[in-house]
Amino acid sequence: MLLHRVIPCLDVAGGRVVKGTRFVDLTDEGDPPTLAARYAAAGADEIVYLDITAAPEGRGTLLAIVTRTARRVFVPLTVGGGVRSPLEMRAVLRAGADKVAVNTAAVRDPGLVRRCARRFGRQCVVVAIDARRRGQGTGADPSAPGSWEVVVHGGREPTGLDVVDWVRRVAELGAGELLVTSIDRDGTRAGYDLELLRAIRVVTDLPLVASGGAGSPADMVAAIRDGGADAALAASIFHRDIHSIGAVKVALAAAGLPVRLDARDAA
Amino acid sequence: MSRVAVVDHGAGNLVSIARALESLGGQVVLARRPADLEGAQGLVVPGVGASAPAMRRLARASLDRALADAIGAGLPYLGICLGLQLLFDGSDEDGAGGLGLLRGRVRRLDGAPRLPHMGWNAVERTREHALFAGIDRDAPFYFVHSFAGEPTDPGVVLATTEHGRRFASAVAAGNVLGVQFHPERSGRDGLALLANFLGLLAGGRARPAAVAGAA
């Protein structure tokens, strides 16, 4: 049986992890490969890097970091940010990433998803979607059917695209996985937008990674059990050592959700 | 030190597999043409994605023949993911022919709850083999694929995994070994499996995987 995944996400800018961390015993707190190695040792099922600068002049820096990570971290690595062509995707894969996430570039040029899937196989192509709830903000009326708009550029720019329509479209184009972030919940630690996850789950069989809003292991249980996500991604609760990956795994297992538990980690 | 040729057919992440083998004491040569296979004590063919482009690139570099010859000469071969699928007669994915070194076809995992099959899943062994020495009987490994090889001869199956249907997740036929999962992305157990492969090579003595650790 396929196990549920717990995925720490590192926001990277200029070759450094941004957003604070409290790993005080590291020699270099902001070094992505150092943090990724630490998460892998703690039981992370995968690592995600999102390059939030994604400026063309920063590509070399990002690729060097991906390579340094692949040399010492032996769990899968997804890298997102700034990939606009199969050639750029190839460079990230050759540097040592297993999957590449596309977001804004796919909205601008949906054919990018198809071209990348044809060239590298759909399992390499993660479509990242930033979703903003339409209407009166978050959870105004929990019983009302929700709808969400795709936003780009870190949530700053609306696109007019409906999230569920966009999911159907990228599934046809060749997406291999969906990484869905609720922009409303991102950074709030108020829990994932479960209604958003469910709305996506019913229209696709693609692997679905929940993102945005994780505040506790219970939130990650809910994303998987109630939202239908296959994997739960979080940033700040891990970086600030509020909750450990092991604690999330234990909570998932206690809820009857199969996870990869390492006896040596649990001991 | 075991010299391992890691075949580069242009797809996927070679850094991880090369570095994983090096961390276990292997000496890695990236093979892009037949001459690169000379002196190798073992072959590793990694890769993800579709068969047809990979077979085209192998053929263009004359590596398809060279690999078949090396396998025929008894060199241990470890195919990972696409590197396993290429061993079969052909693939339903794009109609591509394979190397034909294992009888059977590569078929889609129809009926799977999620496709691609992406993530950690139990690899349940059906018989003992040195490749899995020291690894728990149903330890999870990392998978990323939508198609899997169906060997005609059930005797080659080493382990199976359930996803939609039960498929062969590890095979062994003499010196030809293959795993559908990614040991280079499967933490400690994955490194242990690669160390076991190095241990099978002539003169090979791998460093214990525990020394290299999962991170």
Side-chain angles (χ1 to χ4, degrees):
Chain A
M1 180 186 261
L2 190 56
L3 306 178
H4 295 292
R5 289 171 279 155
V6 177
I7 305 175
C9 176
L10 305 180
D11 287 343
V12 177
R16 307 283 298 171
V17 176
V18 294
K19 292 185 180 173
T21 83
R22 286 198 355 200
F23 287 156
V24 289
D25 56 336
L26 294 176
T27 50
D28 183 352
E29 293 184 42
D31 182 47
T34 304
L35 276 165
R38 177 158 178 146
Y39 284 132
D45 295 309
E46 241 177 88
I47 307 283
V48 170
Y49 284 171
L50 290 181
D51 183 12
I52 59 174
T53 49
E57 60 272 23
R59 298 311 287 175
T61 309
L62 178 68
L63 295 180
I65 281 169
V66 170
T67 297
R68 281 178 50 220
T69 308
R71 286 171 170 277
R72 60 188 287 198
V73 177
F74 298 113
V75 298
L77 175 65
T78 298
V79 176
V83 167
R84 279 156 306 204
S85 69
L87 203 62
E88 288 173 339
M89 180 161 171
R90 181 176 188 272
V92 180
L93 293 172
R94 296 287 287 187
D98 299 281
K99 298 184 262 184
V100 172
V102 291
N103 186 336
T104 306
V107 172
R108 295 262 153 79
D109 171 19
L112 175 66
V113 175
R114 174 175 284 145
R115 294 196 302 278
C116 289
R118 278 213 185 122
R119 175 108 182 245
F120 307 107
R122 70 187 300 157
Q123 72 288 327
C124 293
V125 185
V126 178
V127 174
I129 300 173
D130 292 341
R132 171 161 283 150
R133 193 178 273 266
R134 282 180 169 130
Q136 300 149 4
T138 52
D141 175 4
S143 65
S147 102
W148 296 263
E149 180 177 7
V150 177
V151 292
V152 294
H153 287 301
R156 292 189 299 272
E157 194 181 311
T159 65
L161 276 171
D162 178 74
V163 166
V164 171
D165 290 343
W166 180 233
V167 163
R168 287 198 182 95
R169 179 92 193 277
V170 298
E172 282 170 19
L173 287 167
E177 183 165 73
L178 303 171
L179 196 177
V180 177
T181 301
S182 162
I183 290 296
D184 309 300
R185 298 294 178 90
D186 200 28
T188 65
R189 291 191 214 147
Y192 298 93
D193 186 340
L194 302 180
E195 198 189 346
L196 167 67
L197 296 172
R198 281 193 293 263
I200 292 169
R201 181 75 288 162
V202 298
V203 300
T204 181
D205 291 337
L206 284 174
L208 172 60
V209 182
S211 163
S216 68
D219 290 336
M220 303 181 93
V221 170
I224 291 169
R225 185 188 56 202
D226 307 324
D230 300 290
L233 175 147
S236 64
I237 64 165
F238 295 142
H239 301 339
R240 304 212 169 95
D241 242 355
I242 299 166
H243 296 286
S244 70
I245 290 167
V248 173
K249 295 275 189 88
V250 167
L252 289 168
L257 300 167
V259 290
R260 185 175 65 107
L261 280 174
D262 189 322
R264 282 161 290 198
D265 295 335
Chain B
M1 189 186 272
S2 306
R3 189 177 159 97
V4 183
V6 174
V7 174
D8 179 5
H9 52 70
N13 164 8
L14 290 173
V15 178
S16 305
I17 183 66
R19 181 60 195 141
L21 290 165
E22 284 167 0
S23 76
L24 299 165
Q27 186 197 341
V28 171
V29 179
L30 289 184
R32 299 193 173 97
R33 48 180 190 277
D36 298 332
L37 303 183
E38 279 167 27
Q41 292 159 301
L43 306 170
V44 172
V45 179
V48 291
S51 304
M55 283 303 294
R56 262 200 309 276
R57 285 186 293 260
L58 287 176
R60 204 179 298 147
S62 303
L63 271 168
D64 51 348
R65 284 277 302 281
L67 283 173
D69 290 348
I71 290 169
L75 217 60
Y77 173 108
L78 177 64
I80 296 171
C81 192
L82 183 59
L84 163 61
Q85 295 181 11
L86 293 175
L87 290 169
F88 289 92
D89 294 318
S91 170
D92 285 357
E93 186 166 10
D94 43 23
L99 294 169
L101 297 165
L102 283 177
R103 295 275 85 82
R105 272 195 83 73
V106 176
R107 296 189 198 283
R108 192 177 149 94
L109 290 174
D110 285 322
R114 298 273 181 278
L115 278 182
H117 177 214
M118 190 181 288
W120 299 76
N121 203 336
V123 171
E124 300 169 46
R125 280 172 355 243
T126 51
R127 63 181 164 99
E128 291 306 321
H129 192 282
L131 191 61
F132 284 95
I135 299 172
D136 286 348
R137 274 206 75 83
D138 54 358
F141 287 84
Y142 191 83
F143 290 85
V144 184
H145 66 123
S146 298
F147 287 75
E150 287 184 0
T152 309
D153 174 9
V156 304
V157 177
L158 271 190
T160 65
T161 294
E162 175 74 39
H163 189 66
R165 61 176 162 87
R166 192 159 281 280
F167 64 94
S169 48
V171 303
N175 57 321
V176 176
L177 307 173
V179 292
Q180 182 55 60
F181 51 84
H182 289 267
E184 78 282 13
R185 285 322 208 186
S186 296
R188 284 189 195 93
D189 288 329
L191 292 176
L193 184 142
L194 292 173
N196 288 339
F197 177 71
L198 291 177
L200 294 172
L201 309 187
R205 196 172 46 211
R207 227 175 274 162
V211 176

